[in-house]
Amino acid sequence: MTAGAWARPAAGREPAGAALLGWLADPTAPRLCLVTGSENSGKSQLLAWLVTHSTRPGTAPERRVHGFVPLAGQGVRTALWTLADQLGVAARAPGELLAELSADPRRTVLVLPDLHTATEPGALADIVGALADLEHVRILVEARTGHEVIAALRALSPAEMDLDASQWTDPARAEAWQAAHPTRHESTTPGTEGTTAPVDLDDPVEVCAADPGQVTTAYEADTESRDGLRRAWLRAGQSLMRDQEPADRALVLLAALGDGADPRLSPPLERLAAGAPWRLVWSRVRGDVTPPWSGPVMALTVTSGSLPEQLLVADHQGTLRSLSYSDATPVGRLPGLAPDALGLVCLPDATVVVLDGDGRLHIHRAPTAPGPSGLAALLDDGPGAGEQAIETLSTAVTHTRITALGASEHAVAVADHTGRVYGVFLSDPGRLVAAEHLHEGPVTALAVADVPVAASEPDVSLVYSGGADGRVRVWGPGKKPMDVPVAERATPVRALAARMTASGLTLSIAWSDGLVEHRRLDAAERRTFHPGHPVNVLALTRTEELLIGTDELLTCLRPA
């Protein structure tokens, strides 16, 4: 058999297999296909055949399956997070998964067996209906004949295959198969094997070591508070569902606990997390009181230059706050609003620049900015270097929409939806450095790092750009960009941070599937973290603390 050949379906189901392949390839067919049949009619066997072949490397695009979630015994969250992980997106709720798939027009095929044995079949059927409304999404669902969920699925006008009907079986091949397999059992769909012992849902160490799907389903069914452990698990669930060491799960849970959790939970989690590649410095979670939660983190930067090292944060309402670097306690608030912030930088002269969702740049002033006095105040009535640089960039990019913003102590950069990156040096803020086309499609993130070359020479500013094309590239303004990407994955870049830290040149990348990568470029070291949420922004401090901002939490980590 050649690598691309398909084996025949078991039990004489060649007609059913051919019909499923025809449905996949027919652009006019209903986007939802429902496979029904009585117990032991071969439903799982048929779907196992399809999934086994359609997920192999080199499968033809019209036969490719992109997401496969066995629903037996699963709840909504377990199914959602497993599916999101397979599709390379971060999604906490059905609406976020729908938004991610709506924004990506590529063909997506999902297979969902055993809907009739899920813990919440009705809720999952609602999600199936919403997904089937997307023109580029196809869904194959299996449910046993007679189950009440079938009525809800039939209301969606699917293509339906009832395996109890004789048309879906080749009698001669079925007879030959039965002769070769005299003891017939319903085939288990891949991924549904095995049972496990009950888990103590109040023991943080035990839940970190247990099967994460079992823990999630148990927490969904048991709505007791669990002293904050249940809430933390469900808050960070997509990360916890991944195949990983208990130490890594403990670290994720620590970051998601919040100050309302029982304080007795932290010590055992800290001991278990000692084996993780990170140490949790602090984490601020939605609902925290001491210090108070400052709101969803839409944009974030660390002040630079002569200013005290603080965090500047823009929330979902456009409020700009300064937070203590040591524990994220609110310190002050900038006047004015920055609605729909996509980017935020603070320049050495205390110029704060915000990029909004319409691609416009807005200038504010840092709350701790030292102002001129005396004669200097009388003579200095013009824009500073920061404002001049922003004016230069805004003038240069009038023909397109700015999609990303980044800055260091020596340079500022912006990028647009065509994949082009522009830079200005603060030493010569009126001159635009030649722009470079670095990405196919929009640039989604920028970071600038000043790298020392020699004691007698000025630092070199390096611009790191991430795009919807899944590439991270580096460019020294005024020089030729590197041909090879610094990093590349099959998922868009969400955020970047780059800086010379105590460990040398450091780059952090947040991808759309929720993965955060941290790279010490001088030492070729790499470590990762999954917060369990879509990451909005990253920042690095001089001492290499990594700040991760999401809608639900702001976390500070230090490499172990």
Side-chain angles (χ1 to χ4, degrees), residues 151-225:
L153 294 172
R154 283 177 175 158
L156 302 173
S157 301
E160 185 171 347
M161 177 185 292
D162 181 356
L163 290 184
D164 290 331
S166 60
Q167 71 191 83
W168 304 118
T169 305
D170 182 317
R173 291 193 179 279
E175 184 178 350
W177 189 87
Q178 290 288 357
H181 304 79
T183 303
R184 181 183 176 188
H185 299 283
E186 175 80 343
S187 174
T188 302
T189 308
T192 64
E193 305 89 344
T195 59
T196 54
V199 179
D200 183 353
L201 299 179
D202 294 312
D203 185 339
V205 175
E206 187 168 333
V207 299
C208 287
D211 175 75
Q214 182 187 7
V215 174
T216 302
T217 301
Y219 276 143
E220 284 184 300
D222 185 347
T223 58
E224 294 182 17
S225 67

Side-chain angles (χ1 to χ4, degrees), residues 371-404:
S373 60
L375 182 60
L378 295 174
L379 296 176
D380 185 15
D381 59 353
E387 292 184 48
Q388 291 181 57
I390 297 306
E391 177 64 28
T392 300
L393 290 167
S394 297
T395 301
V397 198
T398 54
H399 63 287
T400 184
R401 180 170 58 87
I402 298 175
T403 56

Side-chain angles (χ1 to χ4, degrees), residues 470-473 484-489 507 509 511 517 519:
R471 295 173 179 169
V472 178
R473 301 194 63 188
V484 180
V486 176
E488 185 171 10
R489 295 181 69 223
L507 172 68
I509 311 165
W511 304 88
E517 285 188 88
R519 302 186 177 200

Side-chain angles (χ1 to χ4, degrees), residues 11 17 26 34 38 40 55 118 125 166 185 188 195 209 220 237 293 298 335 339 360 376 423 492-493 520 530 533:
D26 184 358
L34 171 61
S38 57
N40 288 331
T55 54
S166 60
H185 299 283
T188 302
T195 59
E220 284 184 300
W293 165 241
M298 311 311 295
R360 296 173 298 191
V493 178
R520 290 172 171 169
H530 287 256
H533 305 268

Side-chain angles (χ1 to χ4, degrees), residues 71 111 174 383 492 498 523 555:
L71 299 177
V111 176
T555 297

Side-chain angles (χ1 to χ4, degrees), residues 7-371:
R8 293 181 179 276
R13 292 296 190 183
E14 283 86 349
L20 289 181
L21 296 180
W23 169 75
L24 284 172
D26 184 358
T28 65
R31 292 191 288 273
L32 175 63
C33 179
L34 171 61
V35 175
T36 64
S38 57
E39 185 177 4
N40 288 331
S41 61
K43 302 183 299 300
S44 295
Q45 210 168 40
L46 178 64
L47 266 61
W49 167 82
L50 179 68
V51 171
T52 298
H53 289 284
S54 61
T55 54
R56 294 185 306 181
T59 298
E62 67 272 12
R63 293 184 173 184
R64 185 78 181 167
V65 168
H66 306 90
F68 164 68
V69 182
L71 299 177
Q74 305 300 321
V76 169
R77 288 183 178 91
T78 307
L80 171 71
W81 294 332
T82 303
L83 194 57
D85 208 47
Q86 292 177 3
L87 298 178
V89 299
R92 295 165 296 176
E96 288 188 353
L97 179 62
L98 284 167
E100 292 285 353
L101 291 179
S102 297
D104 186 348
R106 292 177 298 178
R107 173 185 169 95
T108 303
V109 179
L110 312 176
V111 176
L112 306 176
D114 303 310
L115 179 59
H116 55 282
T117 56
T119 61
E120 301 171 89
L124 286 166
D126 291 340
I127 296 174
V128 166
L131 290 169
D133 281 340
L134 302 177
E135 291 187 2
H136 57 286
V137 174
R138 289 193 170 224
I139 309 177
L140 176 60
V141 177
E142 177 222 334
R144 185 176 297 166
T145 297
H147 194 279
E148 59 186 13
V149 77
I150 289 182
L153 294 172
R154 283 177 175 158
L156 302 173
S157 301
E160 185 171 347
M161 177 185 292
D162 181 356
L163 290 184
D164 290 331
S166 60
Q167 71 191 83
W168 304 118
T169 305
D170 182 317
R173 291 193 179 279
E175 184 178 350
W177 189 87
Q178 290 288 357
H181 304 79
T183 303
R184 181 183 176 188
H185 299 283
E186 175 80 343
S187 174
T188 302
T189 308
T192 64
E193 305 89 344
T195 59
T196 54
V199 179
D200 183 353
L201 299 179
D202 294 312
D203 185 339
V205 175
E206 187 168 333
V207 299
C208 287
D211 175 75
Q214 182 187 7
V215 174
T216 302
T217 301
Y219 276 143
E220 284 184 300
D222 185 347
T223 58
E224 294 182 17
S225 67
R226 300 289 176 186
D227 296 325
L229 187 59
R230 175 183 181 272
R231 187 183 304 111
W233 183 282
L234 297 181
R235 176 182 281 133
Q238 186 176 345
S239 173
L240 299 166
M241 289 290 294
R242 295 174 52 253
D243 183 17
Q244 60 192 304
E245 295 298 322
D248 298 313
R249 286 201 182 97
L251 180 66
V252 173
L253 275 175
L254 270 175
L257 272 181
D259 65 5
D262 188 327
R264 291 173 295 182
L265 292 171
S266 294
L269 285 173
E270 288 170 355
R271 288 191 293 271
L272 183 56
W278 297 94
R279 296 293 175 265
L280 179 68
V281 181
W282 50 258
S283 189
R284 296 293 163 254
V285 176
R286 181 188 291 273
D288 277 2
V289 176
T290 309
W293 165 241
S294 60
V297 183
M298 311 311 295
L300 166 71
T301 190
V302 179
T303 56
S304 61
S306 60
L307 296 172
E309 193 159 46
Q310 293 182 349
L311 312 180
L312 295 182
V313 175
D315 68 15
H316 63 300
Q317 295 179 326
T319 304
L320 286 168
R321 291 185 176 87
S322 58
L323 309 179
S324 164
Y325 157 75
S326 61
D327 62 0
T329 298
V331 175
R333 178 171 169 170
L334 277 66
L337 295 175
D340 195 18
L342 291 182
L344 173 65
V345 297
C346 182
L347 304 181
D349 65 356
T351 299
V352 176
V353 187
V354 178
L355 170 65
D356 70 18
D358 293 324
R360 296 173 298 191
L361 300 174
H362 305 269
I363 292 177
H364 300 259
R365 296 291 292 177
T368 55

